[in-house]
Amino acid sequence: MRKSWWKVLTVIILVYVVVGGLLLDVPRLHILNETIRALYFHVPMWFGMIILLFASVIFSLRYLRTGIKDFDTRAAEFANVGVLFGIFGILTGMLWAQFAWGQWWSGDPQQNGAAIGLLIYLAYFVLRGSLEDDGQKARISAVYNIFAFAALVPLLFILPRMTDSLHPGSGGNPGFNAYDLDSRLRMIFYPAVIGWTLLGVWITSIRIRIRRLSLNQDV
Amino acid sequence: MKKLFGVLLILLFAYISNSQNKLEVTDQDYINSDVEMADQFRADGKIYVLTGIILIILFGIVTYLVIIDRKVARIEKERGKTFD
């Protein structure tokens, strides 16, 4: 538990997010009603996922440049927790969509993009699991990881905005589309993104340490 | 690592600030009475029950995480490895 100040910070932020997210005022908007509070829980999953997966790519690049095995370990574990966040994002999004859009899955471009992106990342773990040789596994999966992230970014951030999407930030449903966040929502939303992401980093750090122990690997 | 963190922040804020073509949320949206919210639920004080339940789960998960963290630290110590 050395250097654990940021873990304490994580807990403080998350408590603030839960209490503030449930108790503070939110705008009274049609269709959304109280579910607007999902903004503090559903959306940070995606932000957290993209940050964790970005960290994973950085470590994959560093592995390819240096050949240090520990970077491969870190890349794999960051991807692992990133995908966990993505799965939470999909599940919470489906529940929210059932009540806001009327369907669990409406083939919304962003929903489809997220699903395809997660499948690409699941293939990353299949790939890792299927290679016997450690060096080969690390190298090939690092290259694949870069490809996966490069595919994920357009799937989540570019393609959905080029067509009509139910999600904010694109054309389409005017009753629901794209309310700008005001300062009161941001007061919780930004800490929520930071808090949930830090929780992901914490879980990742433990996974990395366990992996190092099981590999009997030095840093 | 600092550089990496800087890039992350820039990415994050570039995405967040990308809010063109959006409707403003106004103060009026906070006080209108024609949109139904869980007002009775709140007036009854039951929202505090819900908050309490979620906090218990959050604290439980965090405590569990801390215990795992310490356990890993103990094994690292036994093996003479002190990375964190």
Side-chain angles (χ1 to χ4, degrees):
Chain A
M1 291 299 285
R2 285 180 307 119
K3 295 182 194 165
S4 57
W5 63 269
W6 63 275
K7 295 169 186 170
V8 176
L9 183 71
T10 306
V11 178
I12 293 169
I13 294 176
L14 286 179
V15 169
Y16 166 76
V17 167
V18 167
V19 174
L22 291 171
L23 297 182
L24 292 185
D25 279 346
V26 292
R28 306 168 71 96
L29 302 175
H30 287 289
I31 305 174
L32 283 173
N33 306 87
E34 293 277 359
T35 69
I36 192 172
R37 294 174 195 277
L39 172 74
Y40 308 137
F41 303 96
H42 162 74
V43 185
M45 293 299 124
W46 294 112
F47 278 72
M49 180 196 79
I50 207 76
I51 292 171
L52 294 171
L53 292 181
F54 183 64
S56 170
V57 170
I58 297 292
F59 284 121
S60 279
L61 283 169
R62 290 176 76 185
Y63 172 76
L64 289 175
R65 288 216 323 239
T66 62
I68 295 170
K69 184 114 199 334
D70 192 58
F71 287 142
D72 176 60
T73 303
R74 291 192 225 182
E77 298 303 349
F78 267 109
N80 205 310
V81 180
V83 168
L84 174 74
F85 271 53
I87 290 168
F88 282 146
I90 286 255
L91 292 178
T92 54
M94 282 170 67
L95 181 62
W96 196 4
Q98 162 66 15
F99 292 96
W101 300 340
Q103 274 174 305
W104 296 98
W105 199 272
S106 42
D108 174 72
Q110 194 139 13
Q111 269 185 332
N112 287 342
I116 296 167
L118 283 180
L119 287 174
I120 291 174
Y121 268 93
L122 290 180
Y124 170 76
F125 298 110
V126 174
L127 180 70
R128 285 188 74 83
S130 63
L131 291 168
E132 293 277 341
D133 179 68
D134 279 350
Q136 201 180 33
K137 176 197 286 188
R139 223 168 334 105
I140 294 176
S141 62
V143 173
Y144 182 86
N145 192 16
I146 296 167
F147 157 75
F149 191 76
L152 186 71
V153 169
L155 280 170
L156 288 183
F157 302 119
I158 300 173
L159 294 179
R161 285 171 192 214
M162 294 175 69
T163 58
D164 284 353
S165 168
L166 294 166
H167 272 92
S170 7
N173 191 340
F176 195 67
N177 173 37
Y179 285 103
D180 200 2
L181 295 185
D182 75 343
S183 57
R184 270 183 275 190
L185 292 173
R186 285 183 186 177
M187 226 168 63
I188 311 223
F189 176 67
Y190 288 169
V193 169
I194 295 167
W196 290 112
T197 305
L198 281 177
L199 185 71
V201 173
W202 187 1
I203 297 170
T204 308
S205 76
I206 293 175
R207 287 192 61 103
I208 291 171
R209 287 158 64 197
I210 291 173
R211 171 70 64 178
R212 281 173 186 157
L213 286 170
S214 75
L215 295 173
N216 217 359
Q217 172 187 309
D218 282 307
V219 182
Chain B
M1 281 310 280
K2 272 182 189 158
K3 238 189 245 170
L4 168 68
F5 193 65
V7 173
L8 279 177
L9 275 182
I10 291 167
L11 264 184
L12 182 66
F13 284 103
Y15 180 63
I16 289 170
S17 60
N18 182 9
S19 57
Q20 75 281 32
N21 303 326
K22 292 190 178 181
L23 301 174
E24 285 290 323
V25 171
T26 60
D27 284 341
Q28 193 57 39
D29 288 323
Y30 281 89
I31 50 172
N32 75 63
S33 53
D34 52 313
V35 178
E36 195 181 333
M37 300 291 264
D39 295 320
Q40 192 55 46
F41 184 72
R42 283 163 195 282
D44 292 345
K46 287 186 183 142
I47 187 66
Y48 301 108
V49 180
L50 180 62
T51 311
I53 287 169
I54 296 177
L55 282 180
I56 289 170
I57 291 178
L58 181 64
F59 278 122
I61 289 174
V62 165
T63 309
Y64 188 59
L65 204 53
V66 168
I67 291 170
I68 296 172
D69 199 324
R70 288 197 176 147
K71 194 176 243 173
V72 173
R74 199 166 59 236
I75 298 171
E76 282 171 350
K77 213 171 152 193
E78 278 168 16
R79 299 236 196 134
K81 294 194 161 88
T82 49
F83 35 65
D84 197 349

